[in-house]
Amino acid sequence: MEMLEIMKQRHSVRQYTDTAIEPQKRTALNNLIEEINGEMGLHIQIFYDEPKCFDSMMAHYGKFTGVKNYIALVGKKSPKLDEILGYYGEKLVLKAQEFGLNSCWVAMTHGRSKADVRKGEKQICLIALGYGVTQGVAHKNKPLQEVCNHTANMPEWFLNGMEAALLAPTAMNQQKFFFELLPDSKINADCGKGFYTKLDFGIVKYHFEIGAGRKL
Ligand SMILES: Cc1cc2nc3c(=O)[nH]c(=O)nc-3n(C[C@H](O)[C@H](O)[C@H](O)COP(=O)(O)O)c2cc1C
């Protein structure tokens, strides 16, 4: 299936059924994580059949039920860590969606993860994973003029990139990013101000690049 279709199908899902993730899907996700960790020097970890992390007050407060699988986004502390984990975390989310698995980025409303966080490393966010009770619903979007320097006759590739960017999950659906297309076709992209905007920016960047068909 086309990647844009997969992005359109993805919505945050917070309630999960008891269906376990199949062995082949686990192997594929494990391999992708290993590949990303090797290439980027990250320490992303995935846990299956582990219900404790989302069996906390915070998780219930956040309306999460039945979460038994999650990805812990961990890496060495650096100013770029949030953005990098956003980018590769969303790569994993869309791969999971391709496998028919639902997900939700969770920065706040989770309990203690089983992740091995070593000296100098930081756990930035979790991603809940599994078979959803529902497929979720589409989020509200800001108008194009609020997320880019929108004018008439913009190139198709840029508009496709922005369409994909608007499909990206952001914390509290804040969509604080802004993309400026410059006359020389270069792009000035900004994450905006607020909580988790750098993490959001990595996620949005991954979407934009797929939509636009070019690297930022
Ligand atoms: C970085 C990040 C952190 C998030 N943290 C939480 C969270 O702690 N609890 C929660 O219920 N949802 C969380 N979300 C999910 C967002 O609320 C959700 O992605 C947003 O409302 C857009 O909806 P959608 O994912 O269905 O498109 C988070 C999303 C992102 C990208």
Side-chain angles (χ1 to χ4, degrees), residues 18-36:
D18 271 340
T19 311
I21 298 176
E22 298 86 334
Q24 321 85 274
K25 293 182 184 178
R26 295 186 187 208
T27 305
L29 288 170
N30 296 348
N31 288 345
L32 182 55
I33 289 171
E34 205 174 308
E35 191 185 305
I36 292 168

Side-chain angles (χ1 to χ4, degrees), residues 10-12 14 62 64 104-109 125 137 139 169-173 196 199-200 203:
R10 185 220 58 86
H11 310 298
S12 282
R14 296 177 178 85
F64 284 88
C104 186
W105 282 82
V106 198
M108 299 287 290
T109 53
C125 197
V137 292
H139 60 242
T170 54
M172 296 166 293
N173 199 29
Y196 299 111
L199 190 52
D200 286 348
I203 300 171

Side-chain angles (χ1 to χ4, degrees), residues 7 10-14 54 58-59 61-64 73 86 90 103-110 124-126 135-141 166-175 195-201 203:
M7 289 183 193
R10 185 220 58 86
H11 310 298
S12 282
V13 169
R14 296 177 178 85
F54 282 81
M58 274 296 271
Y61 171 76
K63 304 219 175 353
F64 284 88
L73 298 173
E90 188 63 5
S103 63
C104 186
W105 282 82
V106 198
M108 299 287 290
T109 53
H110 61 76
I124 298 288
C125 197
L126 301 184
Q135 295 298 309
V137 292
H139 60 242
K140 288 209 173 77
N141 275 332
L166 284 170
L167 290 170
T170 54
M172 296 166 293
N173 199 29
Q174 59 187 346
Q175 302 189 317
F195 291 111
Y196 299 111
T197 50
K198 288 181 181 162
L199 190 52
D200 286 348
F201 187 64
I203 300 171

Side-chain angles (χ1 to χ4, degrees), residues 61-119:
Y61 171 76
K63 304 219 175 353
F64 284 88
T65 58
V67 182
K68 286 176 217 67
N69 316 289
Y70 58 91
I71 293 168
L73 298 173
V74 179
K76 278 195 207 75
K77 286 180 194 161
S78 94
K80 277 275 182 191
L81 183 62
D82 280 60
E83 184 182 323
I84 292 169
L85 285 172
Y87 189 92
Y88 288 98
E90 188 63 5
K91 184 173 186 172
L92 289 162
V93 159
L94 294 177
K95 181 55 76 182
Q97 186 71 39
E98 204 177 323
F99 293 157
L101 295 168
N102 300 105
S103 63
C104 186
W105 282 82
V106 198
M108 299 287 290
T109 53
H110 61 76
R112 196 179 174 81
S113 90
K114 282 249 176 352
D116 167 22
V117 182
R118 300 187 184 151
K119 198 163 179 259

